Amino acid sequence: MNDVERNKMKAPSETYMEWINRAVEIEKQVKFSADEYGKHGKEESSFWFLSSSYFKEEIIKMYKEITNLLSEGNQIRDKILVDQPPEIVVERKGPDINKFETLQKPLEQTLDLLEKDYVKGIRIHGTVGIGKTTIMLNLNNHEQVAKKFDIVIWLTVSKEGSKKNLSQEHLQQAIVQRMEIKMESASNADKVARRIFKELKGKKCFLLLDDVKEDLNLNEIGIPESNNGCKIVLTTWLRQWWIG
């Protein structure tokens, strides 16, 4: 417990949590038996209590459990800590839009839609400069989003002035860095996609795609299909678009 308390950069592992729960439980049992010993030791019947087979069996049982725990504790000492999971949300700098109804209203509408199970994706459409990215920044930072999803991933899909999306590899690397996935630098796109898929599988993911310029295939990047409460919000000036 002291090791875990000292190291704030890592999280306790499942192995450690299982061990510590057993240790706490046996500690309670020992305290109860000690209390019983102290109570009966003052009574006339204490000789019977202390010499009873039941009491002896309980003491032996607890002794074995404690020695087993001590042995296991030495074996798992290098397994008690694991890397911290990535933050649910990485806040992004953006202007507060509370006083701007033309931006606050679509933000509130988007938040309402996110609460509906049948809504898997939302498009914020409009010409350059109307505030699409500003709405997305406030959406990313909203406390309702942090409570609803396991992880929020922001992807800037294209460069300003470009008519094309960034490459598949560039988008994959942005996800890898966001999720703090450790991979070999020489990994190809298919391998990276499989790793991203593995890391996101089972997680309730919220994907924010800013400035989509052309059709985008999320399956090739490694984003699982939306079957676990995952949702997507994107901004684009395109009237017709395809995302798969």
Side-chain angles (χ1 to χ4, degrees), residues 69-84:
L69 277 168
L70 288 171
S71 176
E72 291 177 25
N74 290 328
Q75 294 174 18
I76 68 168
R77 181 162 291 277
D78 61 342
K79 301 177 183 178
I80 64 174
L81 295 168
V82 294
D83 292 334
Q84 290 275 15

Side-chain angles (χ1 to χ4, degrees), residues 120-137:
K120 306 299 183 184
I122 300 168
R123 179 186 65 165
I124 300 175
H125 169 267
T127 56
V128 175
I130 67 168
K132 300 187 299 295
T133 298
T134 299
I135 294 171
M136 287 274 276
L137 290 170

Side-chain angles (χ1 to χ4, degrees), residues 122-127 130 132 234-241:
I122 300 168
R123 179 186 65 165
I124 300 175
H125 169 267
T127 56
I130 67 168
K132 300 187 299 295
L234 64 87
T235 66
T236 182
W237 54 266
L238 298 173
R239 292 188 178 278
Q240 294 181 344
W241 54 277

Side-chain angles (χ1 to χ4, degrees), residues 163-203:
K163 294 182 179 180
K164 292 186 176 183
N165 295 336
L166 294 169
S167 68
Q168 175 183 335
E169 290 78 9
H170 183 99
L171 296 176
Q172 285 179 323
Q173 287 306 311
I175 296 174
V176 166
Q177 291 178 15
R178 168 66 181 91
M179 297 190 66
E180 301 174 11
I181 300 173
K182 296 178 181 178
M183 293 202 68
E184 299 174 3
S185 57
S187 299
N188 60 43
D190 289 340
K191 186 175 181 180
V192 176
R194 289 194 297 271
R195 182 62 185 278
I196 292 172
F197 181 90
K198 181 180 178 181
E199 294 292 333
L200 287 177
K201 188 176 181 181
K203 286 186 174 66

Side-chain angles (χ1 to χ4, degrees), residues 50-77:
L50 298 177
S51 62
S52 67
S53 59
Y54 172 78
F55 184 75
K56 288 181 178 179
E57 288 175 3
E58 286 299 300
I59 293 296
I60 293 171
K61 182 179 178 181
M62 286 187 287
Y63 174 78
K64 288 181 178 179
E65 177 66 15
I66 291 169
T67 53
N68 286 338
L69 277 168
L70 288 171
S71 176
E72 291 177 25
N74 290 328
Q75 294 174 18
I76 68 168
R77 181 162 291 277

Side-chain angles (χ1 to χ4, degrees), residues 11-22:
S13 67
E14 291 185 11
T15 301
Y16 164 79
M17 293 305 300
E18 190 273 338
W19 186 93
I20 204 70
N21 287 336
R22 287 167 55 201

